[in-house]
């Protein structure tokens, strides 16, 4: 099928028969060339390659596939109510996208929906139409490699090849006590108030020269809520494909405020910086960030005023209610982890553990699933619980979570024991134990179904895995680092990297 695509790029006969390796390689090569041109500061070449990519037939096919087939929001329509879930519909959308010019494209308003937040409030989302999302994905394919060559090394949110644990590891490394080496004792745990909703459009668009008018139309497309149209004067819609990238572009430069780079553009370690910047280290994940500082006075007199000036230029401000100054001995929560320096007679150690709020929320989720399925078969209940348990364990497995995992396993066992007692009120406890719980290897009392050969996932053995953080400016688009990323994520690292 790929041969027919190469021979006639304007005609795709069958969506299911497309061999996607060829389009992926073609787009990947263009992205790597954009990355190299940005590193060489050849801005004319960057501009030409980005225009070449958004006009590429392969890139448009990949954008359609990513939005309508791979993303979780493929069943969520915009204001037009259209979704594309069949091969025929995706093929028709690809033909429509082929005839659409990115630079003259006029988008439709967003559909406003609200989702609950952890604190009980609701977060507004702006849902673009499927076609608008495909066009955003197309522009993202062109913009992302450029900015991957420009982003700061300790910015980890919504970037390919990076995850939450990279930010946690950087914080842990910045504050832990290591022999006689001096580390920053005070932490500014900061949060930006309504980051996505308050980004200044003009300040953002100055940093996107190639697709400036296209991005402007997306930002100013407006919102439809309860049948009424509301104009958007600031912010990027949470729900758009390109919004996380635009937020990272708007916040880029925060780490450079504190002497991260020297005059030649090379990274300078916090201990080698001069003046007020000495010992300062900023680690950011999306709109949440942490600044490790040697003294509390420097946070109040230097760090906070500098950050407020930086954010005001972009139309944002710090959330005073969530911004705290804490000592490493008291600990703080960040991205669901609790980071704290512990002292004992034997040794001093900095531990990263799941936060109490995260543990409580996870147990409430497990309890809700068990309570809502009192009449379900054991193997069906296991099939519902295992993805929840495994996902939570995978997220926290790189922390000191052995005790926490054991505690949660015990709490889940108690919930399941009550679930079993309720189902068999006329049976003895030994009968229930033999019916639903079994010994596997060295583990005892494992909930399972003997007939179906299904077992509940046990997380305890996953705790305490050593994590290797992403090195500095490393990016999946750097052709010199193919071996590095292959060793890090295995043979499928190209597929795991977002396109």
């Amino acid at each position: 099928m790929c041969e027919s695509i190469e021979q006639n790029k304007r005609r795709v006969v069958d969506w299911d028969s497309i061999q996607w390796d060829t389009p992926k390689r073609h787009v990947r090569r263009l992205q790597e060339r954009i990355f190299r041109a940005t590193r060489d500061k050849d801005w004319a070449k960057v501009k030409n390659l980005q225009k070449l990519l958004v006009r590429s037939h392969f890139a448009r096919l990949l954008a359609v596939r990513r939005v309508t087939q791979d993303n979780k929001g493929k069943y969520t329509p915009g204001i037009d109510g259209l979704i594309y879930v069949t091969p025929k519909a995706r093929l028709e959308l690809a033909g429509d996208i082929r005839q659409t010019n990115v630079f003259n494209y006029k988008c439709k308003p967003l559909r406003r929906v609200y989702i609950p937040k952890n604190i009980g409030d609701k977060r507004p989302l702006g849902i673009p139409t499927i076609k608008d999302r495909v066009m955003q994905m197309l522009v993202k394919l062109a913009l992302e490699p450029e900015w991957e060559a420009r982003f700061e090394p300790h910015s980890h949110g919504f970037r390919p090849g990076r995850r939450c644990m990279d930010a946690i590891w950087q914080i842990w490394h910045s504050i832990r006590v290591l022999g006689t080496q001096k580390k920053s004792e005070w932490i500014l745990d900061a949060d930006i108030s309504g980051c996505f909703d308050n980004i200044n459009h003009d300040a953002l668009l100055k940093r996107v020269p190639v697709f400036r008018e296209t991005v402007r139309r997306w930002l100013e497309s407006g919102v439809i809520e309860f049948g009424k149209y509301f104009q958007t004067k600031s912010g990027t819609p949470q729900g758009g494909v390109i919004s996380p990238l635009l937020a990272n572009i708007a916040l880029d430069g925060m780490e450079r405020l504190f002497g991260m780079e020297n005059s030649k553009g090379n990274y300078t370690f916090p201990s080698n910086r001069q003046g007020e910047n000495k010992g300062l280290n900023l680690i950011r994940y999306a709109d949440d960030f942490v600044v490790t500082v040697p003294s509390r006075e420097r946070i109040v007199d230097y760090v906070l005023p500098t950050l407020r000036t930086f954010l005001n230029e972009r139309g944002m401000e710090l959330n005073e209610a969530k911004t705290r100054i804490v000592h490493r001995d008291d600990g703080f929560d960040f991205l669901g982890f609790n980071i704290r320096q512990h002292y004992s007679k034997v040794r001093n150690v900095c531990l990263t553990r799941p936060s109490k709020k995260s543990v409580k929320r996870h147990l409430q989720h497990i309890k809700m699933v068990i309570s809502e399925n009192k009449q379900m078969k054991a193997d069906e209940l296991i099939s519902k619980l295992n993805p929840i348990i495994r996902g939570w364990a995978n997220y926290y497995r790189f922390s000191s979570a052995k005790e926490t995992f054991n505690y949660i396993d015990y709490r889940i066992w108690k919930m399941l024991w009550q679930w079993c007692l309720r189902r068999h009120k006329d049976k003895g406890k030994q009968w229930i134990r033999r019916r639903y719980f079994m010994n596997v290897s060295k583990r005892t009392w494992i909930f399972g179904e003997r007939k179906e050969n299904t077992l509940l996932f046990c997380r305890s053995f996953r705790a305490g895995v050593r994590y290797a953080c992403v090195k500095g400016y490393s990016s999946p688009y750097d052709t010199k680092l193919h071996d590095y990323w292959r060793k890090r994520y295995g043979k499928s690292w190209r597929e795991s990297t977002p396109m």
Side-chain angles (χ1 to χ4, degrees):
M1 184 59 201
C2 279
E3 293 180 0
S4 63
I5 294 177
E6 292 174 351
Q7 294 169 0
N8 186 2
K9 291 185 178 182
R10 295 184 177 274
R11 183 171 176 267
V12 179
V13 179
D14 186 4
W15 180 267
D16 288 335
S17 63
I18 297 176
Q19 301 297 320
W20 290 102
D21 289 342
T22 298
K24 285 183 178 180
R25 284 196 298 269
H26 177 80
V27 173
R28 172 66 66 170
R29 282 195 295 268
L30 282 176
Q31 289 178 319
E32 290 172 348
R33 291 175 64 189
I34 293 171
F35 182 89
R36 286 197 301 270
T38 306
R39 281 277 175 92
D40 297 336
K41 297 184 179 180
D42 189 349
W43 305 117
K45 186 174 182 180
V46 171
K47 182 177 180 180
N48 291 333
L49 287 172
Q50 288 176 332
K51 290 183 177 180
L52 179 64
L53 192 148
V54 297
R55 294 188 178 112
S56 168
H57 178 68
F58 288 144
R60 298 187 181 217
L61 285 178
L62 281 178
V64 172
R65 185 193 179 194
R66 181 69 189 276
V67 173
T68 63
Q69 190 169 338
D70 298 339
N71 282 7
K72 293 182 179 179
K74 58 188 175 183
Y75 298 113
T76 305
I79 61 169
D80 57 1
L82 297 177
I83 58 175
Y84 302 84
V85 295
T86 63
K88 182 179 178 181
R90 291 169 185 150
L91 197 62
E92 293 176 356
L93 178 61
D96 189 12
I97 296 297
R98 177 181 60 80
Q99 300 173 359
T100 305
N101 189 338
V102 174
F103 299 97
N104 298 329
Y105 175 67
K106 293 183 180 180
C107 58
K108 295 183 178 180
L110 308 171
R111 181 171 68 92
R112 174 73 80 196
V113 297
Y114 293 89
I115 60 173
K117 298 171 66 175
N118 295 332
I119 59 176
D121 200 0
K122 290 186 177 181
R123 184 192 306 275
L125 289 183
I127 309 297
T129 63
I130 296 289
K131 184 177 179 180
D132 290 344
R133 275 178 261 173
V134 172
M135 301 303 293
Q136 289 183 15
M137 177 60 67
L138 192 60
V139 173
K140 182 184 176 183
L141 290 173
L143 280 179
E144 191 171 63
E146 174 197 351
W147 282 95
E148 275 297 304
R150 302 170 65 178
F151 280 143
E152 298 155 323
H154 294 163
S155 167
H156 300 291
F158 304 113
R159 292 182 58 187
R162 297 175 184 250
R163 59 178 76 172
C164 297
M165 202 59 211
D166 291 300
I168 298 298
W169 186 91
Q170 291 287 350
I171 297 171
W172 174 81
H173 188 269
S174 298
I175 67 175
R176 65 173 180 148
V177 176
L178 186 62
T180 59
Q181 186 179 359
K182 294 183 179 180
K183 291 293 184 82
S184 299
E185 299 182 8
W186 290 91
I187 297 98
L188 173 66
D189 181 13
D191 180 80
I192 301 174
S193 179
C195 172
F196 284 84
D197 299 328
N198 298 311
I199 294 176
N200 183 278
H201 288 174
D202 293 333
L204 173 60
L205 292 170
K206 287 179 182 178
R207 315 196 75 187
V208 189
V210 180
F211 305 101
R212 182 172 298 167
E213 293 304 317
T214 304
V215 174
R216 183 190 299 276
R217 286 193 287 269
W218 283 330
L219 296 176
E220 299 176 355
S221 60
V223 175
I224 300 293
E225 185 175 7
F226 302 115
K228 296 183 179 180
Y229 175 81
F230 299 92
Q231 187 177 0
T232 50
K233 298 181 180 180
S234 63
T236 62
Q238 296 188 58
V241 174
I242 202 173
S243 296
L245 176 61
L246 294 179
N248 273 336
I249 293 174
L251 293 174
D252 182 61
M254 189 180 293
E255 193 175 349
R256 295 185 179 93
L257 293 172
F258 304 108
M260 180 206 73
E261 292 180 347
N262 57 22
S263 57
K264 297 181 179 180
N266 298 323
Y267 179 76
T268 303
F269 289 95
S271 58
N272 297 331
R273 299 174 190 175
Q274 304 296 323
E276 296 288 340
N277 295 326
K278 188 176 182 62
L280 268 67
N281 195 15
L282 187 145
I283 301 99
R284 181 172 65 86
Y285 189 91
D287 59 339
D288 296 326
F289 62 93
V290 164
V291 187
T292 59
V293 190
S295 66
R296 181 186 179 93
E297 292 74 16
R298 202 184 301 182
I299 295 178
V300 177
D301 299 335
Y302 175 62
V303 176
L304 282 173
T306 304
L307 288 173
R308 289 192 178 105
T309 302
F310 175 85
L311 293 174
N312 287 337
E313 294 174 355
R314 290 153 176 79
M316 295 173 281
E317 60 182 9
L318 290 174
N319 188 333
E320 301 297 337
K322 293 183 179 180
T323 300
R324 304 185 305 135
I325 301 175
V326 297
H327 195 271
R328 66 185 177 190
D329 296 351
D330 299 326
F332 64 100
D333 293 347
F334 189 73
L335 300 179
F337 291 86
N338 179 266
I339 308 172
R340 182 182 175 187
Q341 180 72 36
H342 295 265
Y343 297 93
S344 65
K345 295 181 180 180
V346 180
R347 61 170 183 162
N348 303 327
V349 60
C350 183
L351 295 181
T352 302
R353 296 172 172 172
S355 65
K356 292 183 179 179
K357 292 182 180 179
S358 179
V359 172
K360 182 179 179 181
R361 190 162 55 247
H362 179 57
L363 289 174
Q364 288 176 344
H365 188 192
I366 295 291
K367 184 178 181 180
M368 180 189 69
V369 173
I370 295 176
S371 299
E372 291 179 351
N373 298 280
K374 294 178 180 178
Q375 306 300 327
M376 184 174 285
K377 294 181 180 180
D379 60 318
E380 295 176 355
L381 180 61
I382 291 173
S383 66
K384 284 184 172 293
L385 292 177
N386 272 346
I388 301 171
I389 297 173
R390 184 179 288 107
W392 202 89
N394 286 338
Y395 183 76
Y396 289 102
R397 65 181 175 144
F398 296 106
S399 62
S400 304
K402 185 73 173 180
E403 295 181 1
T404 305
F405 282 7
N406 289 335
Y407 169 73
I408 294 178
D409 284 342
Y410 167 71
R411 288 289 304 273
I412 293 176
W413 174 84
K414 289 191 67 175
M415 296 178 197
L416 292 172
W417 181 251
Q418 293 299 323
W419 181 85
C420 295
L421 291 178
R422 183 188 177 279
R423 289 172 65 90
H424 304 282
K425 296 180 180 179
D426 57 339
K427 299 290 185 179
K429 293 182 179 180
Q430 290 297 327
W431 184 92
I432 294 175
R433 190 249 191 272
R434 291 191 298 270
R435 171 65 177 81
Y436 289 105
F437 297 90
M438 56 196 75
N439 300 334
V440 181
S441 299
K442 296 181 180 180
R443 296 177 290 164
T444 59
W445 287 83
I446 303 299
F447 183 76
E449 181 64 65
R450 297 180 187 274
K451 295 180 180 180
E452 302 296 333
N453 196 24
T454 55
L455 296 173
L456 188 70
F457 179 77
C458 181
R459 77 191 76 205
S460 299
F461 68 95
R462 292 210 168 193
V465 180
R466 187 74 176 178
Y467 184 75
C469 185
V470 171
K471 297 179 181 179
Y473 295 91
S474 300
S475 172
Y477 298 113
D478 192 346
T479 55
K480 298 179 181 179
L481 299 178
H482 282 180
D483 291 338
Y484 169 78
W485 292 103
R486 189 177 294 108
K487 291 178 182 178
R488 184 174 180 84
Y489 291 119
K491 295 181 180 179
S492 61
W493 70 274
R494 284 175 179 260
E495 286 74 15
S496 63
T497 301
M499 275 291 194

